[in-house]
Amino acid sequence: MFAILLTAGYALMGAGIGAGLVAIGAGLGIGKIGASAMEGMARQPEAAGKLQSGMLIIAALIEVIALFGVVVCFLLANNATITGAL
């Protein structure tokens, strides 16, 4: 019984750490995209439209990847609670 509780605790801890890392990674990625796009627009103002559309597409893809990571973490946490540990 103790082994099941210990395993579920590790699963919940891993899910929490994983969700936090996903959020940090998405924030850093979108921040880097925004900074690079603003620098590009400052250097070449006539290309602002192309840079902005590309930036929005890449930001959306990063958000999708982050959402997928958070869903995986939630599934891991729910699997730990379903096993009867909590």
Side-chain angles (χ1 to χ4, degrees), residues 3-84:
I4 292 173
L5 290 174
L6 191 61
T7 304
Y10 284 147
L12 289 173
M13 186 174 62
I17 291 172
L21 289 175
V22 165
I24 289 171
L28 289 174
I30 291 177
K32 177 69 174 161
I33 289 171
S36 297
M38 290 298 125
E39 183 180 347
M41 287 179 203
R43 288 177 186 258
Q44 232 176 356
E46 64 273 4
K50 288 183 180 180
L51 287 173
Q52 186 177 9
S53 62
M55 178 186 70
L56 290 175
I57 290 170
I58 299 298
L61 292 174
I62 288 176
E63 288 294 329
V64 168
I65 292 171
L67 180 65
F68 179 72
V70 169
V71 167
V72 168
C73 291
F74 282 146
L75 289 174
L76 181 64
N78 285 333
N79 190 20
T81 58
I82 289 172
T83 57

